[in-house]
């Protein structure tokens, strides 16, 4: 990753100096220079994030619990009475709904308490007893990565009448995951290659996706779909909602899975919502816009949550963008937690308006005051 960024710097210097030699007009140079400064900022910020010890690492159970309690307006989760409200009766874009999904997301970072245990699933199961927003859920299926760490899971929740598919993102130990998965090359749909998975996309070279993200999706697609279909039929009551959730790399992965589900009639009929947290840029304007349109037809289903000045939603493959549709829910970059509905990925009054030198990794694993780090799983029991 460091090597790659270094090459990028060299290229930029080359471009800048050749432009200067040709004494082209200042505008192009200024643009290149500011892109260059952004790249340096991204790089140093990532570097710092990677090598500095996280201030969240040593928080005590008391601190973790207090911090989590502060995500309730009334400040006391012991009176939490909302965790048995069915998803379909909640408002798609309300902070309370979003925070419920952020909790399902956070649990995938649970660490096992047993040394050498292949999975973290028992720690996740333990969370069902704690009277959190996730309430009393059951783990239905799980997937593990090559290092036997949980990668995705499917949960059911009878009281909430929901089935939730959660995708893991970048591990805090390796934030450069994001860079590793990016910028190799793009897969274009000029030969209809992408139509095998996303039948509704138009065949055009302008429709393309970053190959790293696409490969991750492809790799787990069969495993996820064969685990999902039986769960959907077990809870065949149409009142049950199926919700797709992802964070960071897992957000792009969730987006691609949802895009795939949208082409499978049986699954598409059941899919009620897609929540992504800190989703990187993964495809061209045509790609993300066509998928977003499909996801939001006939009803709005896709909520793209961006936390404060998080850098990750701003980085991705060349010319990749956020969808133009009004899907972003931004937690404003202020000390207070203020939620804002945005007018598409180009809305300068939302996260797109943050200058690149103000972007940072530090809020990538949070949703307002809710930390989605592994520490989430250490919240005190509320019995
Ligand atoms: C975390 O705790 C360890 C040992 O208790 C200590 O050495 C380390 O400096 C602490 N790190 C932070 C960021 O507080
Ligand atoms: C939790 O849900 C399961 C079914 O998913 C049910 O068997 C169990 O009784 C529930 N527990 C509580 C405490 O409600
Ligand atoms: C968010 O970022 C600010 C500084 O940018 C930092 O003070 C704060 O602790 C961060 N919050 C979380 C939950 O990471």
């Amino acid at each position: 990753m460091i090597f790659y960024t270094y090459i990028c710097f060299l290229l930029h210097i080359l471009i800048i100096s050749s432009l200067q030699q040709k004494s082209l007009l200042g505008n192009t140079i200024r643009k290149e220079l500011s892109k260059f400064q952004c790249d340096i900022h991204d790089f140093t910020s990532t570097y710092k994030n990677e090598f500095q010890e996280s201030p969240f690492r040593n928080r005590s159970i008391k601190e973790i619990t207090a911090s989590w309690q502060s995500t309730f307006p009334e400040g006391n989760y012991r009176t939490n009475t909302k965790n048995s409200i069915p998803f379909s009766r909640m408002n798609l874009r309300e902070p309370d709904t979003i925070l419920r999904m952020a909790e399902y997301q956070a649990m995938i970072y649970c660490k096992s308490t047993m040394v050498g245990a292949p999975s973290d699933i028992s720690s996740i199961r333990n969370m069902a007893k704690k009277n959190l927003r996730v309430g009393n859920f059951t783990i239905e299926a799980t997937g593990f990565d090559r290092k036997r760490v949980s990668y995705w899971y499917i949960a059911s929740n009878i009281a909430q009448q929901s089935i939730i598919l959660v995708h893991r993102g970048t591990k805090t130990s390796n934030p450069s995951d994001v860079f590793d998965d990016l910028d190799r090359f793009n897969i274009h749909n000029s030969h209809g290659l992408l139509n095998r998975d996303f039948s509704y996309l138009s065949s055009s070279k302008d429709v393309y996706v970053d190959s790293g993200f696409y490969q991750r999706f492809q790799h787990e697609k069969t495993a996820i779909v064969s685990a999902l279909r039986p769960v959907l039929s077990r809870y065949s009551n149409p009142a049950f909602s199926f919700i797709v959730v992802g964070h960071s790399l897992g957000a792009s992965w969730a987006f691609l899975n949802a895009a795939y589900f949208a082409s499978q009639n049986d699954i598409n009929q059941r899919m009620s919502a897609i929540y992504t947290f800190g989703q990187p840029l993964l495809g061209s304007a045509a790609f993300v816009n066509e998928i977003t349109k499909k996801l939001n037809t006939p009803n709005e289903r896709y909520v793209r949550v961006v936390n404060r000045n998080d850098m990750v939603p701003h980085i991705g493959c060349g010319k990749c963008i956020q969808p133009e549709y009004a899907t972003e829910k931004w937690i404003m970059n202020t000390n207070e937690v203020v939620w804002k509905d945005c007018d598409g990925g180009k809305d300068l009054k939302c996260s797109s308006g943050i200058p690149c030198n103000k972007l940072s990794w530090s809020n990538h694993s949070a949703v307002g005051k809710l930390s989605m780090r592994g520490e989430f799983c250490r919240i005190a029991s509320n019995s």
Side-chain angles (χ1 to χ4, degrees), residues 12-273:
H12 276 291
I13 289 168
L14 280 176
I15 291 166
I16 290 166
S17 48
S18 72
L19 284 176
Q20 274 163 342
Q21 271 163 22
K22 286 181 192 156
S23 62
L24 280 180
L25 285 174
N27 245 355
T28 328
I29 297 174
R30 225 171 295 132
K31 232 173 162 180
E32 273 306 316
L33 260 176
S34 90
K35 170 97 177 66
F36 181 53
Q37 282 161 350
C38 281
D39 283 353
I40 290 188
H41 175 78
D42 290 359
F43 174 68
T44 46
S45 169
T46 302
Y47 184 85
K48 268 197 224 150
N49 184 65
E50 208 158 336
F51 294 100
Q52 264 174 6
E53 206 171 340
S54 160
F56 295 92
R57 198 168 194 149
N58 284 355
R59 292 216 287 189
S60 69
I61 288 181
K62 214 172 147 194
E63 282 173 296
I64 293 166
T65 308
S67 144
W68 185 77
Q69 282 196 10
S70 72
T71 66
F72 287 89
E74 62 276 23
N76 187 355
Y77 79 111
R78 289 177 204 282
T79 57
N80 177 24
T81 52
K82 292 189 179 164
N83 66 10
S84 54
I85 301 178
F87 179 83
S88 58
R89 298 217 331 252
M90 297 185 70
N91 184 319
L92 188 79
R93 300 176 70 88
E94 276 300 306
D96 221 40
T97 318
I98 294 172
L99 289 170
R100 181 192 277 186
M101 296 309 146
E103 290 186 4
Y104 279 111
Q105 180 65 56
M107 293 194 299
I108 203 157
Y109 298 107
C110 280
K111 295 210 172 59
S112 175
T113 46
M114 277 185 294
V115 178
S119 81
D120 310 313
I121 300 306
S122 60
S123 321
I124 298 182
R125 286 208 173 95
N126 204 25
M127 303 298 282
K129 300 174 194 146
K130 294 190 180 179
N131 192 27
L132 309 177
R133 288 184 180 87
V134 287
N136 177 27
F137 62 89
T138 305
I139 299 283
E140 298 280 351
T142 53
F144 299 94
D145 67 9
R146 269 169 299 171
K147 291 180 178 158
R148 302 172 79 207
V149 178
S150 46
Y151 212 21
W152 55 267
Y153 71 81
I154 299 172
S156 63
N157 190 317
I158 290 175
Q160 295 179 359
Q161 299 195 334
S162 355
I163 297 154
I164 308 101
L165 167 63
V166 180
H167 301 77
R168 193 193 76 206
T170 325
K171 288 201 292 177
T172 40
S173 58
N174 188 12
S176 63
D177 269 5
V178 176
F179 284 97
D180 290 347
D181 271 54
L182 281 169
D183 265 295
R184 266 172 267 164
F185 56 90
N186 296 326
I187 300 174
H188 294 254
N189 201 28
S190 32
H191 302 291
L193 196 66
L194 297 170
N195 289 111
R196 274 182 271 164
D197 293 316
F198 318 111
S199 52
Y200 47 88
L201 285 182
S202 51
S203 280
S204 150
K205 70 170 173 34
D206 296 331
V207 175
Y208 59 84
V209 60
D210 172 84
S211 71
F213 290 133
Y214 184 68
Q215 276 162 28
R216 176 175 291 211
F217 149 73
Q218 275 279 335
H219 191 260
E220 293 293 301
K221 182 178 81 178
T222 310
I224 289 178
V225 170
S226 23
L228 178 63
R229 282 204 163 103
V231 180
L232 291 176
S233 28
R234 200 168 319 136
Y235 303 97
S236 57
N237 179 346
F240 261 73
S241 307
F242 167 48
I243 307 141
V244 181
V245 184
H247 168 236
S248 193
L249 287 186
S252 297
W253 184 12
F255 182 81
L256 293 178
N257 261 330
Y260 173 68
F261 299 152
S263 69
Q264 309 291 306
N265 274 341
D266 60 328
I267 307 181
N268 191 36
Q269 279 171 12
R270 304 288 307 274
M271 186 161 64
S272 307

Side-chain angles (χ1 to χ4, degrees), residues 305-325:
V305 183
V306 178
N307 191 45
R308 294 180 159 142
N309 59 344
D310 179 11
M311 175 184 288
V312 178
H314 303 264
I315 57 180
C317 58
K319 299 200 178 129
C320 287
I321 67 153
Q322 299 288 11
E324 279 163 24
Y325 303 94

